[in-house]
Amino acid sequence: MTLDITKHKNILLKILKDVFTDHAIGPVLGFKGGTAAYLFYNLKRFSSDLDFDLLDTEKQDFVFEGIKRILEEYGSLKESAKKRNRLFFTLSYDEKEPGGQNVKVEINLVNFGSMYDVKSYLGISMKVMVREDMAAHKMVALYERESQTNRDIFDVWFFLKNDWPVNEGIIVRRTGMSFSDFLQKSIVLIEGVNNKNILAGMGEILDEKQKAWVRKHLKEDILFLLNLKLENVE
């Protein structure tokens, strides 16, 4: 089933509105990840999921039940679970269509010391992770995932291409490596990516022009940018 981007975006925005206009849930969540970068920082790809940080761990159970209640207004929950260090939900909507469509919602429970700015989208105020912290977490996600996602590669390329600052401290705390060692190992990791599969997982979130560019240039361009970043490390 082809993703209807307009409909999917509308679902995401309705959920965000419900979350951040809830006076008990909204203040204890920080919005982050691909959709936050797409909505607030001009990320050049569509993002289909919602990611948050829980800012008050004592509210874990309350937030879990509140998010579950909000999501159930838009379809059926295929999954709602308290996992290690995160709350995770999979919402299925458009169930009358073959296969339906899913929205994944993930809430991180670990405090990494990230910072957030209050921003507004369509009149809804929310705490959004600052660019330097978002870039750092995405770079760590790219490095740490058991199977690297091409969306992470694209996002890190976008952040570095646009000279986003990177909070090196977050990377050091999360990985236990110096920033230069982290960059060197990230370069080795990207060098091992099979370029033939570079579009896997991104077929529905890029247009045809973007797909053509990714096939030809994404791997070599992100390697250049990572090496450039490494060259500038003090």
Side-chain angles (χ1 to χ4, degrees):
M1 181 180 176
T2 302
L3 179 67
D4 183 335
I5 288 180
T6 299
K7 184 167 187 175
H8 196 95
K9 180 180 178 181
N10 287 343
I11 292 286
L12 296 179
L13 292 173
K14 289 175 182 177
I15 293 169
L16 284 172
K17 175 182 178 295
D18 290 350
V19 168
F20 285 106
T21 56
D22 186 302
H23 298 302
I25 296 175
V28 298
L29 289 178
F31 188 30
K32 64 176 187 175
T35 302
Y38 171 74
L39 293 177
F40 290 100
Y41 299 130
N42 203 31
L43 177 64
K44 298 300 184 182
R45 72 163 178 89
F46 183 68
S47 179
S48 57
D49 302 322
L50 295 172
D51 295 280
F52 305 92
D53 281 339
L54 183 61
L55 308 180
D56 183 349
T57 54
E58 294 184 359
K59 300 287 184 66
Q60 179 184 153
D61 292 337
F62 176 78
V63 168
F64 180 81
E65 294 301 326
I67 296 296
K68 183 178 178 181
R69 169 180 49 80
I70 288 171
L71 294 177
E72 286 173 336
E73 293 293 319
Y74 297 98
S76 62
L77 281 176
K78 296 172 64 176
E79 183 176 8
S80 59
K82 298 177 182 178
K83 300 189 175 184
R84 185 169 179 262
N85 296 329
R86 64 191 176 117
L87 309 178
F88 186 82
F89 307 85
T90 302
L91 168 71
S92 177
Y93 70 92
D94 264 358
E95 293 187 313
K96 294 181 180 179
E97 299 292 333
Q101 291 290 358
N102 295 331
V103 173
K104 294 179 181 178
V105 178
E106 185 169 324
I107 302 173
N108 164 59
L109 305 178
V110 181
N111 182 359
F112 294 113
S114 302
M115 302 297 292
Y116 311 85
D117 285 335
V118 176
K119 296 181 178 294
S120 178
Y121 195 93
L122 298 179
I124 306 301
S125 294
M126 57 192 84
K127 294 176 183 175
V128 181
M129 185 176 286
V130 298
R131 291 190 309 159
E132 56 266 37
D133 292 4
M134 192 178 291
H137 287 300
K138 180 63 74 169
M139 291 175 74
V140 173
L142 171 61
Y143 178 78
E144 288 186 341
R145 290 192 203 273
E146 293 181 3
S147 57
Q148 286 71 41
T149 72
N150 295 325
R151 298 182 189 196
D152 290 337
I153 297 174
F154 185 93
D155 293 353
V156 171
W157 164 81
F158 174 83
F159 299 157
L160 297 179
K161 181 73 171 179
N162 289 280
D163 295 317
W164 279 31
V166 177
N167 187 333
E168 298 176 18
I170 283 178
I171 291 176
V172 171
R173 288 196 297 274
R174 287 193 60 180
T175 67
M177 290 184 273
S178 69
F179 188 49
S180 60
D181 285 347
F182 171 80
L183 288 172
Q184 289 170 355
K185 292 186 178 182
S186 296
I187 289 166
V188 171
L189 183 150
I190 296 296
E191 287 175 338
V193 170
N194 186 343
N195 205 50
K196 293 181 180 179
N197 300 322
I198 198 72
L199 275 174
M202 293 199 288
E204 294 184 323
I205 59 175
L206 300 177
D207 60 32
E208 293 304 317
K209 184 177 180 180
Q210 288 176 310
K211 290 177 187 178
W213 183 89
V214 165
R215 289 189 193 98
K216 292 181 179 180
H217 302 296
L218 178 59
K219 181 177 176 179
E220 65 178 357
D221 216 38
I222 191 174
L223 283 171
F224 167 77
L225 291 167
L226 286 168
N227 276 291
L228 183 61
K229 195 75 175 175
L230 178 60
E231 187 171 278
N232 292 325
V233 172
E234 296 180 358

